[in-house]
Amino acid sequence: MKYLVIAVSLLAVLLSGCAWKDAAPTELTFLETTAGETASPQTQAPETVPTLAPVEPADEDFVRVADYIPTITQDLRYATENNFTGQKIYDFTQVYLRWGTVKKLMDVSRELEAQGLYLKIWDGFRPVSAQFRLWEVYPDPTFVSNPETGYSSHSRGNTVDLTLVDSTGQELEMPTGFDDFSALANRDYSDCPETAAANARALETLMEQHGFTGYFGEWWHFSDTQTYPVEMEFTPPVSEE
C-alpha cells in the first residue's frame, strides 16, 4: 500500500511537468525596468519625416510670374491674333521671367496694391524662335528687333511689357494702347492727355525705383537693370495647370 501511494505521487508529478512544458508561452515584449518596477509592452514610436524648407530659385532661373504675383492680369497678346501682326506668334499663355526680375516686380506690385492698383502684363520672356517668327511676319526693324543682327531684350527674360489696372480689371488711361508705334507711345508725354501722361510717368517712376529702365519709344516696355544672357533653349510650357 505504501509503495502504491508513492507510485501515484510520482506519476502525478510527472504529468504536471508535461502540462507545464506543453503550455504556449505568452508573446509580450517588455522594456528594461529598474528593480521593483513593472514594464509595459513596447510600442514603436511613429516615424518622424523631416520637413525640408523650399529652395529659392537662383536669380537667373526662369519662374512663372503668377506663382509669385497671383494678383497680376496676364494678356499675352502674341499668344493670340490680337497684336499688330494679326498672327499668333507663340503658344504659351503664362508669363515667365528670371527670378531676379520677378523679385523686383513683386516689390512694385506690393506698392501698387496699397493703392488699389495691379499689374497687367502683355509680354514677358519671348523665346528666340518667337522672335524669328515675329521678324518673319513683320520684318521692319523700326518695330521688331532683327534676330539676325541682335536679339530682343525679351529673349533675356528680364524685360516685360505692362500697364496698370484697377480693382475691376479696367486699364488706367495711358498715352496709347499696346504696340502703338506712333509718336504718342514715346516717353515725351507732351502730346497726350494730362491724365494719361500722369499715369505713364507714375508707372515709369515706380518701375525705376525698383530697378527697371524704360525704352523711350514704348511707354509700356521695361527692362531689369540686371542683365542676363539671351536664353537659347528654354521655352515656357504650352499646357499650364
Side-chain angles (χ1 to χ4, degrees), residues 46-68:
E47 182 179 356
T48 301
V49 179
T51 302
L52 300 178
V55 178
E56 181 174 331
D59 281 357
E60 64 271 18
D61 289 345
F62 283 93
V63 298
R64 186 168 61 176
V65 177
D67 291 340
Y68 300 94

Side-chain angles (χ1 to χ4, degrees), residues 142-143 161 175-189 191 204 213-222:
T142 304
F143 307 124
D161 295 334
T176 69
F178 177 55
D179 271 356
D180 182 314
F181 300 114
S182 70
L184 289 174
N186 65 38
R187 295 177 186 273
D188 174 59
Y189 304 138
D191 50 1
E204 182 177 359
T213 184
Y215 168 54
F216 179 79
E218 301 173 352
W219 63 261
W220 58 81
H221 180 108
F222 294 93

Side-chain angles (χ1 to χ4, degrees), residues 57-121:
D59 281 357
E60 64 271 18
D61 289 345
F62 283 93
V63 298
R64 186 168 61 176
V65 177
D67 291 340
Y68 300 94
I69 313 177
T71 58
I72 65 165
T73 297
Q74 301 180 87
D75 180 17
L76 294 189
R77 292 291 185 85
Y78 299 128
T80 71
E81 296 179 355
N82 184 22
N83 60 69
F84 75 99
T85 71
Q87 297 189 34
K88 186 175 180 178
I89 302 300
Y90 49 64
D91 295 324
F92 55 88
T93 57
Q94 292 283 320
V95 181
Y96 279 79
L97 292 168
R98 304 278 188 176
W99 171 235
T101 302
V102 172
K103 286 190 292 185
K104 295 180 179 181
L105 275 183
M106 290 167 65
D107 292 336
V108 172
S109 181
R110 276 191 286 267
E111 286 206 33
L112 288 171
E113 288 177 25
Q115 304 174 52
L117 300 175
Y118 306 89
L119 294 173
K120 180 175 185 176
I121 298 180

Side-chain angles (χ1 to χ4, degrees), residues 84-85 132-147:
F84 75 99
T85 71
F132 272 97
R133 175 62 179 155
L134 203 57
W135 179 254
E136 177 185 339
V137 174
Y138 207 89
D140 187 337
T142 304
F143 307 124
V144 179
S145 296
N146 183 354

